[in-house]
Amino acid sequence: MDDFMQAAIEEAKKGMANGGIPIGSVLVHNNEIIGRGHNQRVQKGSTVLHGEMDALENAGRLPASVYRECIIYTTLSPCPMCSGAILLYEIPKVIIGENQNFLGAENYLKEKGVELVVLQDKECLSMMSSFIERNPQLWNEDIGE
């Protein structure tokens, strides 16, 4: 498995171990992780700290030129909010662990020229489906339902 997706999965597991939703993400620039994060809506009582948003936040303030050279890895298809951030910073490529448990704004990203690679990773699929089964109310809150 790709080391960067493995790092995103480790982030997702961290979030789950701390009572949160198991979605992790890493931001990669020149083959180096410059930001990592996981969904922290539960842990921090946040409305916006999805995995991708947390990874961007943890990367810190960067010149626009850096984001335009990045790849963001996420264990789950990015929601409209996270997709908006990807578009805002013109991140050109997203590697997605899986999109069967949740299909985010992938079509919108594609329409805007973002390259998407969907892995359908078994560990990502299993981790998310198990979580949704055990925590349907929390999951629905996270996706705005």
Side-chain angles (χ1 to χ4, degrees):
M1 169 182 290
D2 182 302
D3 289 342
F4 300 128
M5 182 52 69
Q6 188 59 51
I9 290 170
E10 289 167 17
E11 285 294 323
K13 288 178 179 178
K14 254 192 241 183
M16 188 166 49
N18 292 322
I21 298 167
I23 302 168
S25 183
V26 295
L27 185 65
V28 176
H29 182 255
N30 291 335
N31 287 317
E32 181 182 331
I33 295 173
I34 60 170
R36 57 177 64 231
H38 52 274
N39 186 303
Q40 295 202 65
R41 291 187 66 250
V42 173
Q43 300 91 317
K44 293 191 174 182
S46 171
T47 58
V48 297
L49 277 181
H50 283 190
E52 300 91 337
M53 301 297 277
D54 194 39
L56 287 166
E57 176 71 16
N58 291 328
R61 189 172 161 203
L62 300 168
S65 60
V66 172
Y67 294 112
R68 290 184 192 121
E69 297 174 343
C70 285
I71 300 171
I72 193 162
Y73 288 72
T74 179
T75 58
L76 187 67
S77 183
C79 74
M81 176 180 65
C82 296
S83 295
I86 289 164
L87 292 173
L88 176 68
Y89 293 109
E90 299 181 26
I91 297 169
K93 186 172 184 176
V94 183
I95 309 293
I96 300 167
E98 66 104 345
N99 66 2
Q100 290 180 11
N101 285 296
F102 176 77
L103 179 61
E106 290 182 27
N107 286 337
Y108 186 59
L109 288 169
K110 286 179 200 174
E111 287 171 13
K112 297 294 184 179
V114 177
E115 180 184 353
L116 304 180
V117 177
V118 182
L119 304 175
Q120 302 304 13
D121 178 81
K122 289 178 184 177
E123 188 171 8
C124 291
L125 283 158
S126 172
M127 183 170 42
M128 201 68 232
S129 64
S130 295
F131 176 83
I132 292 168
E133 188 176 308
R134 289 189 318 272
N135 304 282
Q137 186 174 355
L138 183 57
W139 170 244
N140 285 332
E141 175 190 321
D142 197 63
I143 60 171
E145 289 188 13

